[in-house]
Amino acid sequence: MSDEKIFKDCLKTLQPFNDTLDIISGKWRLQVIIAIGAGCNRFNIIQTNIPKITPKVLSKELKLLEANKIIRREISTGYPVKINYYLEPYADTLTPLINAIRDWGLNHRSKIIKAMKDTGG
Amino acid sequence: MSDEKIFKDCLKTLQPFNDTLDIISGKWRLQVIIAIGAGCNRFNIIQTNIPKITPKVLSKELKLLEANKIIRREISTGYPVKINYYLEPYADTLTPLINAIRDWGLNHRSKIIKAMKDTGG
DNA sequence: CCGTATCCTGCACGATACTG
DNA sequence: CAGTATCGTGCAGGATACGG
């Protein structure tokens, strides 16, 4: 198999990467997932616990995560009506991914800092 | 340990995520890594094989990847001078991550399509 | 309390031309 | 061949105010 062929095969597989990155990347995405996972279930509680996030942005994030089945939105029919957000069990499938991303990041920062030291002094 | 404590711990760990995502996300990043890994070692060969990428953007991508030790830039001192880009061995540490991202994306697309079918009809 | 509506800003990325 | 320079654009995200 030629390098060219390998390359074309790889390019064809970009879609799954983008599908994943569309969900886990972005300035607020992981923070929202983490907040809900940590028990922040109400809109204003999430907002309070994620510094600087605006309601517009939070609303958009929640809708995307709901559309992708990562979280669910529950409306209690009592009075007053309460809306709660929860992680879906499906969110657990993200765990290995999230761990892999974190671990690589931790290792990478050490590597780059070490490389800077070696070069700088 | 309270939920609040868990949450604070999680927020403290956002940096490694961002470190990783800064490197693997973006419109062109993975395509450049893949192209070089597939044997495209010259600037214009990479450019030719990544449709629509401009030299300005490719230049920026290459510098970032080099600064992060994912690739290296080799200047041959013969005539004419040739510049080649290669993946560093360190790039291999990205493989498990890249596989995890691709696999989750593939599975996720099936899930969402299935969910749409179940809802839509 | 749980959002929407408007308007605005910044930055990643794009088009095109040019240089050693 | 391997980039830089300039100018332009689109979209994520931000500020602020308001609505059910």
Side-chain angles (χ1 to χ4, degrees):
Chain A
M1 199 190 297
S2 70
D3 282 349
E4 200 175 315
K5 176 68 166 50
I6 292 169
F7 179 55
K8 282 180 180 164
D9 283 348
C10 289
L11 280 187
K12 278 194 296 187
T13 67
L14 278 176
Q15 186 183 65
F17 289 109
N18 293 332
D19 286 349
T20 303
L21 292 173
D22 282 349
I23 289 171
I24 60 170
S25 70
K27 186 169 180 181
W28 303 108
R29 203 65 39 82
L30 282 170
Q31 294 185 66
V32 173
I33 295 173
I34 290 168
I36 297 175
C40 302
N41 303 112
R42 313 297 305 280
F43 190 95
N44 72 331
I45 300 294
I46 301 170
Q47 195 186 342
T48 305
N49 281 280
I50 301 180
K52 308 279 188 187
I53 197 169
T54 64
K56 177 189 132 183
V57 170
L58 178 54
S59 175
K60 198 196 61 178
E61 299 289 307
L62 291 169
K63 278 174 182 163
L64 183 141
L65 289 172
E66 192 190 359
N68 283 282
K69 316 286 180 189
I70 311 291
I71 64 173
R72 70 179 185 280
R73 183 179 187 270
E74 276 190 11
I75 310 169
S76 80
T77 49
Y79 178 82
V81 169
K82 286 182 180 176
I83 293 163
N84 287 278
Y85 293 94
Y86 301 97
L87 289 189
E88 289 277 21
Y90 181 50
D92 291 341
T93 66
L94 280 171
T95 306
L97 195 54
I98 286 175
N99 286 336
I101 291 171
R102 188 202 55 227
D103 291 347
W104 194 89
L106 285 168
N107 178 70
H108 181 62
R109 179 166 285 263
S110 327
K111 181 189 171 73
I112 295 300
I113 287 173
K114 184 174 182 311
M116 288 195 317
K117 277 183 190 162
D118 292 349
T119 305
Chain B
M1 200 190 295
S2 70
D3 282 348
E4 199 175 315
K5 176 68 165 49
I6 293 169
F7 179 55
K8 281 179 181 164
D9 284 348
C10 289
L11 279 188
K12 276 194 296 186
T13 66
L14 278 176
Q15 186 184 65
F17 289 109
N18 293 332
D19 286 349
T20 303
L21 292 173
D22 281 348
I23 288 172
I24 60 171
S25 71
K27 186 169 180 181
W28 303 107
R29 201 65 38 81
L30 281 170
Q31 293 184 66
V32 173
I33 295 173
I34 290 168
I36 297 175
C40 302
N41 302 113
R42 313 296 304 279
F43 190 95
N44 72 330
I45 300 295
I46 301 170
Q47 195 186 340
T48 305
N49 279 280
I50 302 180
K52 308 279 188 187
I53 197 169
T54 64
K56 177 186 132 183
V57 170
L58 177 55
S59 175
K60 196 196 62 179
E61 299 289 306
L62 291 169
K63 278 173 181 163
L64 183 140
L65 290 172
E66 192 190 359
N68 284 282
K69 316 286 180 189
I70 311 291
I71 66 174
R72 71 177 185 281
R73 183 179 186 270
E74 275 190 12
I75 309 170
S76 80
T77 49
Y79 178 82
V81 169
K82 287 182 181 176
I83 292 162
N84 287 279
Y85 293 93
Y86 300 97
L87 289 190
E88 290 276 22
Y90 181 49
D92 291 341
T93 65
L94 280 172
T95 307
L97 194 54
I98 285 175
N99 286 337
I101 291 172
R102 187 202 54 225
D103 292 347
W104 194 88
L106 285 168
N107 178 71
H108 181 62
R109 180 166 285 264
S110 328
K111 181 189 170 73
I112 295 300
I113 287 172
K114 185 175 182 308
M116 288 195 318
K117 277 183 190 160
D118 291 350
T119 307

